[in-house]
Amino acid sequence: MKDLLVPYYEHPAVRPAEWDALVAAAPRLYGVVLNPASGPGEHPDAGFAAVAGRLRAADVRVLGYVDTAYARRPLADVLGELARHRDWFGTDGVFLDQVAATEGEFGYYRRLATAVRGLGRGTLVLNHGTVPHPSYARIADVLVTFEGTWATYRRKPPPRWTGAGAVLCHLVHAAPAGVDAAAPARERGAALHCAVPGTGDHPWGTLPNGLAPAPGTR
């Protein structure tokens, strides 16, 4: 079952074994978020281009990461970064981060979604990190309605989703070893998930539990 959507923000030259493990997990992967430099960076990166090609060859969506700063970034800047993802890494989808959740910013994201579709960018993922206004489900394929720690996920799960038209995803960090978020995600209405052990400011530099390479493998 392809139920893992994995943000993995490490360079392939620094973590080659981890990227090998991620490619090997292709049968479980809905998609992988490619994030060379909090976006595509200023120049093409051969290492990321190579892993993107391997993922596509394994039938895994490659989603280009772009930060929208809660609708504060100019649309032209966001679209420029998406174009670089496409041209340099052959991405076939989009992962927009720091997406606003209220109805007031919906117009910004509707215009952005229209432009993304016009570019033929395939899958559109909006990372709200919380449950957004139901209107967002009309423009996206996937809505990330939770991003936070495992402790919070257990203690205060996201409220019930009342919208329709998009797949839900939950991203969990600081997950204890052995924790698999598949069942609790389904119980909370999310078909996609990712639970990693990473903590602090850079949790997405770790792979989901169960996918890490064997110790000593580099």
Side-chain angles (χ1 to χ4, degrees):
M1 178 184 296
K2 288 180 172 285
D3 59 355
L4 283 175
L5 195 164
V6 181
Y8 186 55
Y9 303 160
E10 290 289 340
H11 197 283
V14 178
R15 295 284 187 269
E18 283 78 0
W19 278 101
D20 289 345
L22 199 51
V23 173
R28 297 182 57 193
L29 299 178
Y30 174 88
V32 172
V33 183
L34 205 71
N35 185 12
S38 296
E42 296 301 321
H43 307 282
D45 187 302
F48 278 104
V51 295
R54 292 172 63 195
L55 288 166
R56 288 195 307 274
D59 195 29
V60 177
R61 292 175 180 83
V62 180
L63 308 172
Y65 174 100
V66 177
D67 183 358
T68 68
Y70 302 105
R72 294 192 297 270
R73 292 192 69 198
L75 289 174
D77 291 353
V78 174
L79 292 172
E81 291 194 3
L82 293 177
R84 294 204 294 274
H85 271 298
R86 174 198 60 198
D87 295 343
W88 297 346
F89 310 116
T91 52
D92 42 28
V94 174
F95 182 93
L96 298 182
D97 198 16
Q98 297 202 101
V99 174
T102 60
E103 189 176 13
E105 290 83 10
F106 176 71
Y108 171 97
Y109 290 99
R110 181 175 54 196
R111 293 191 295 274
L112 186 52
T114 298
V116 166
R117 302 302 188 192
L119 289 171
R121 297 318 314 132
T123 304
L124 174 59
V125 180
L126 301 181
N127 182 16
H128 305 277
T130 188
V131 174
H133 188 274
S135 59
Y136 287 91
R138 303 202 306 264
I139 61 172
D141 300 294
V142 178
L143 302 178
V144 178
T145 57
F146 179 89
E147 182 177 357
T149 67
W150 174 250
T152 301
Y153 194 54
R154 293 186 64 193
R155 182 182 70 254
K156 189 180 178 182
R160 180 179 175 82
W161 170 247
T162 59
V167 174
L168 304 187
C169 176
H170 293 163
L171 301 179
V172 182
H173 51 86
V179 163
D180 184 346
R186 287 194 299 269
E187 292 167 1
R188 291 159 171 78
L192 303 176
H193 65 92
C194 184
V196 302
T199 60
D201 294 334
H202 185 46
W204 306 112
T206 55
L207 289 179
N209 289 331
L211 295 193
T217 303
R218 286 289 183 271

